[in-house]
């Protein structure tokens, strides 16, 4: 698979499902992601500004080309309500070829 065709999955969290759906819809609509998966509720425990915090959040998994990862991160940061959104990129090293081909066909080249 060429560098342009390599796929990644980007993990992010959102304060609620509605916000995640809004951002995810824009990513797919603009060809920055082939697909986003939203898992509606998880519990996050973290320290923020010195305070131990527990929140309910939605998880978003964004499937896209590695070449688009920086654009996806920039687009999410613009739309995201958090000051410091969680955005982690995971390289896809293997997958069903038909699915990888579909992901590539749904994103900007």
């Amino acid at each position: 698979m060429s560098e342009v065709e390599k796929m990644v999955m980007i993990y992010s969290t959102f304060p609620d499902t509605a916000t995640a759906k809004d951002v995810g819809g824009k990513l797919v609509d603009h060809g920055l992601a082939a697909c986003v998966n939203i898992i509606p509720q998880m519990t996050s425990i973290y320290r923020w500004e010195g305070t131990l915090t527990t929140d309910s959040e939605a998880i978003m998994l964004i499937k896209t080309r590695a070449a688009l990862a920086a654009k996806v991160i920039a687009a999410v940061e613009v739309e995201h309500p958090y000051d410091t959104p969680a955005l982690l990129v995971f390289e896809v090293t293997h997958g069903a070829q038909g699915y990888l081909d579909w992901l590539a066909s749904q994103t900007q080249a």
Side-chain angles (χ1 to χ4, degrees):
M1 189 177 300
S2 74
E3 191 64 34
V4 172
E5 294 172 336
K6 284 186 181 176
M7 296 295 155
V8 296
M9 189 173 317
I10 301 173
Y11 167 91
S12 190
T13 58
F14 288 81
D16 53 62
T17 302
T19 304
K21 284 181 181 178
D22 180 55
V23 173
K26 290 175 183 175
L27 293 173
V28 173
D29 189 46
H30 291 102
L32 293 175
C35 174
V36 300
N37 298 121
I38 298 167
I39 303 167
Q41 188 173 355
M42 72 166 179
T43 300
S44 294
I45 303 170
Y46 56 96
R47 190 169 301 282
W48 183 252
E49 297 178 346
T51 303
L52 188 63
T53 304
T54 301
D55 279 323
S56 178
E57 295 183 295
I59 300 168
M60 182 187 291
L61 301 173
I62 304 161
K63 299 171 214 167
T64 190
R65 294 172 185 260
L68 293 173
K71 286 183 180 180
V72 169
I73 289 171
V76 171
E77 287 178 326
V78 166
E79 298 285 332
H80 209 290
Y82 293 166
D83 292 336
T84 309
L87 287 158
L88 301 171
V89 179
F90 297 91
E91 185 177 326
V92 174
T93 59
H94 295 82
Q97 192 59 54
Y99 187 71
L100 295 173
D101 292 343
W102 177 81
L103 288 176
S105 75
Q106 298 302 304
T107 54
Q108 300 173 11

